[in-house]
Amino acid sequence: MIEIIAPGPLCTVQDLGRSGWAHLGVGSSGAADRSSHRLANRLVGNPVDCATLECTFGGLRVRFDEAVYVALAGADCPATTDPYHPVGHGQAVALAAGTELVLGAPRTGLRTYLAVRGGVDAPLIMGSRSTDLLNGLGHPPLVVGDRVGIGADPGTEMPVHHAPPRPSDDSPIALWPGPRHHWFTAAAHRALTGAAYDVLGTSNRIGTRLQGVALERSVVHELPSEGIIEGAVQVPNDGQPLIFLADHGVTGGYPVIAVVDPADIGRVAQARPGERLRFRWSR
Amino acid sequence: MPTSPFTWPAEARDIASATATRLLPCGPTSVMIEVDDTEQAAQLAAHLRSAGLVGMIDLVPAARTVLVTCSSAHALAEVATIAVGFVPDERPPMGGIVVEVPTVYDGDDLGSVAETTGMTVAGLIDLHSSTEYRAAFCGFVPGFAYLTGLPEILCLPRRQNPRPRVPGGSVAIGAAFTGVYPTTSPGGWHLLGRATVAMWDSSRPRPAFIEPGDTVRFVPVPGSGTR
């Protein structure tokens, strides 16, 4: 079992999500930065769809009842055990039974994934263990005193390598045209790929909210609600774009000017409030 | 400066120019298909669903569009081909099941809706419950199905002031739709009654009581017309 001693600002159970239910109004949810979630799993020899703990801005403190292998990936935060011992990022680490693991605030990035060999065992709801904060599905956000199980050992070989730190990447985020890109002026298209946008503190697992040059519409009539995908760059009436992340609603009533390339969604999910994002058209 | 925004599969691009069904780009693995109205969107969704394409992950019908997400560009091109060859029928098979919703007609807006439409409460209940509806799409919250086929006389604008709290299970009408609120939430539709079955239960194999494509009837149960 894993006992939550302190959850930090937000800690949820996440896997690769529950796709295939959007027609009933349920989005996929799942890890906001899937590539980091996959990496954490791979480092402890788990299948990539095992559930991990997604920690937003560190602050997590957990105690393991049993001896475990764990790995941290995503936002790089200082990690130690209690009694004190530094824990590396991006590598499998063996912890003795009774050990406490303590995460500080990340130096860069926003979301850290803690994988445990065997996977985090929360109830499977509609094919996934993910916490969907929009629809209230899955295990609620972890609170002090929660105890979550650990799944069976996958029986795989433990990898001997560790993942080298990812080089910092501040290149522009790749965009594809969205279904309503033609509802915007040429100036809006220029601004989207020419200006920088600040990430706002109101961002969450539903979406990353941005502030910058307002994106002006050339078609101003109302849009009947239509389907939304992860990575959709939606522009409400104030012209300030927001990028939908894992817990987005399945439909929306504002035009989508562009869609973030799936390979870059993890980078958007890791952007901290106050950071600036730039965009380019995908080729 | 942006390069040409149309960089999605060439097959789909070629077809798109030659048809009235609008294919709108939506990233490398999704396509938005725009049609003329809700009925056509529901039909197209049923048509695509029945094609049973391997590689089709999610299919989201909405008011005037169907959003399809695939696992590959190849599957996406197949979807595009089917979509542009689609011809709306007048009364097509929708592929769903027939769902009966037991309903106690005792909603807070029965009286005002009857008054606005010039009907008696009994006549209003009779009209709403004798009509066969079709689930066009879900949205708003999990399991909220937008049902089409509402008689024109019942197509009223939403309430001037949405209620901050509509009880879960409320059977309501709004604009051209009727539906059942699965959970307690804010809402601007007119409340006619309450369903006695849960619209949503994520532990059921079929979590939503009503799925897109289903045919829906409301069956009055005792308590109707009284409060």
Side-chain angles (χ1 to χ4, degrees):
Chain A
M1 299 291 273
I2 308 170
E3 184 185 344
I4 308 299
I5 298 168
L10 175 68
C11 182
T12 58
V13 178
Q14 297 296 341
D15 56 18
L16 294 177
R18 45 182 74 78
S19 58
W21 300 99
H23 62 295
L24 303 182
V26 175
S28 80
S29 187
D33 173 4
R34 285 197 178 77
S35 68
S36 297
H37 161 89
R38 287 169 187 270
L39 172 60
N41 269 327
R42 281 203 305 273
L43 288 167
V44 292
N46 282 345
V48 292
D49 59 350
C50 275
T52 61
L53 295 184
E54 181 184 279
C55 314
T56 304
F57 217 68
L60 179 72
R61 187 179 183 110
V62 290
R63 182 191 295 117
F64 298 96
D65 288 358
E66 56 208 270
V68 287
Y69 282 100
V70 300
L72 295 166
D76 179 10
C77 48
T80 57
T81 59
D82 188 3
Y84 181 83
H85 186 79
V87 172
H89 194 83
Q91 64 190 84
V93 177
L95 300 178
T99 303
E100 281 183 30
L101 176 68
V102 184
L103 305 188
R107 301 171 182 99
T108 59
L110 192 59
R111 296 180 164 101
T112 306
Y113 294 84
L114 169 62
V116 183
R117 183 164 166 88
V120 175
D121 189 18
L124 207 54
I125 303 291
M126 297 167 74
S128 166
R129 296 184 165 83
S130 291
T131 301
D132 178 338
L133 294 173
L134 180 70
N135 295 316
L137 296 174
H139 197 295
L142 295 167
V143 296
V144 176
D146 274 351
R147 290 171 64 82
V148 287
I150 298 173
D153 188 286
T156 53
E157 267 182 49
M158 286 290 294
V160 292
H161 60 278
H162 73 282
R166 222 179 289 185
S168 79
D169 182 2
D170 54 4
S171 66
I173 303 286
L175 297 178
W176 297 80
R180 304 295 169 188
H181 74 276
H182 55 290
W183 281 33
F184 293 84
T185 62
H189 285 120
R190 277 195 302 274
L192 184 61
T193 52
Y197 284 84
D198 293 325
V199 175
L200 296 180
T202 47
S203 302
N204 54 24
R205 278 182 46 83
I206 294 168
T208 296
R209 291 170 186 280
L210 302 174
Q211 187 169 46
V213 179
L215 301 174
E216 212 186 329
R217 275 162 64 169
S218 50
V219 176
V220 292
H221 61 74
E222 290 265 307
L223 178 72
S225 284
E226 60 188 23
I228 292 280
I229 60 168
E230 190 176 38
V233 183
Q234 190 193 57
V235 184
N237 288 342
D238 64 1
Q240 300 296 336
L242 73 99
I243 303 173
F244 283 111
L245 298 179
D247 283 358
H248 68 87
V250 298
T251 58
Y254 296 105
V256 168
I257 187 174
V259 173
V260 172
D261 190 280
D264 276 355
I265 288 175
R267 288 177 56 208
V268 175
Q270 292 292 5
R272 301 154 72 122
E275 266 180 54
R276 312 194 92 185
L277 292 179
R278 290 181 174 274
F279 301 94
R280 65 174 172 87
W281 291 108
S282 187
R283 280 183 290 275
Chain B
M1 287 290 285
T3 54
S4 164
F6 290 99
T7 42
W8 54 312
E11 306 92 300
R13 188 175 58 225
D14 294 344
I15 299 162
S17 58
T19 175
T21 304
R22 278 87 67 200
L23 297 182
L24 307 175
C26 200
T29 56
S30 298
V31 60
M32 181 83 80
I33 307 156
E34 190 174 47
V35 290
D36 291 337
D37 55 34
T38 306
E39 182 66 14
Q40 284 188 17
Q43 286 177 28
L44 174 58
H47 186 64
L48 284 166
R49 215 178 290 125
S50 68
L53 288 178
V54 175
M56 198 165 72
I57 297 172
D58 261 319
L59 192 153
V60 186
R64 213 174 290 164
T65 55
V66 179
L67 172 65
V68 186
T69 299
C70 294
S71 57
S72 69
H74 175 73
L76 197 63
E78 279 188 299
V79 166
T81 307
I82 294 173
V84 296
F86 169 73
V87 181
D89 284 341
E90 252 186 34
R91 193 73 185 170
M94 296 290 280
I97 61 171
V98 177
V99 175
E100 294 197 333
V101 182
T103 303
V104 180
Y105 281 95
D106 63 355
D108 283 349
D109 298 328
L110 270 183
S112 64
V113 172
E115 196 178 322
T116 309
T117 56
M119 283 188 281
T120 61
V121 167
L124 166 61
I125 294 170
D126 190 53
L127 179 61
H128 186 262
S129 61
S130 63
T131 305
E132 197 167 86
Y133 304 96
R134 283 166 167 227
F137 61 95
C138 289
F140 176 49
V141 294
F144 187 95
Y146 289 78
L147 308 179
T148 59
L150 189 68
E152 207 162 318
I153 190 172
L154 297 182
C155 295
L156 306 178
R158 296 152 54 93
R159 283 168 56 86
Q160 202 85 44
N161 296 307
R163 289 186 171 90
R165 190 179 174 281
V166 172
S170 293
V171 173
I173 56 174
F177 301 105
T178 186
V180 187
Y181 287 84
T183 51
T184 300
S185 61
W189 288 14
H190 307 271
L191 310 185
L192 303 187
R194 57 197 154 91
T196 59
V197 291
M199 287 297 111
W200 179 260
D201 180 351
S202 59
S203 67
R204 288 192 303 227
R206 189 182 145 101
F209 193 71
I210 303 170
E211 294 193 356
D214 288 350
T215 299
V216 181
R217 295 192 200 104
F218 292 91
V219 180
V221 297
S224 296
T226 61
R227 178 117 215 188

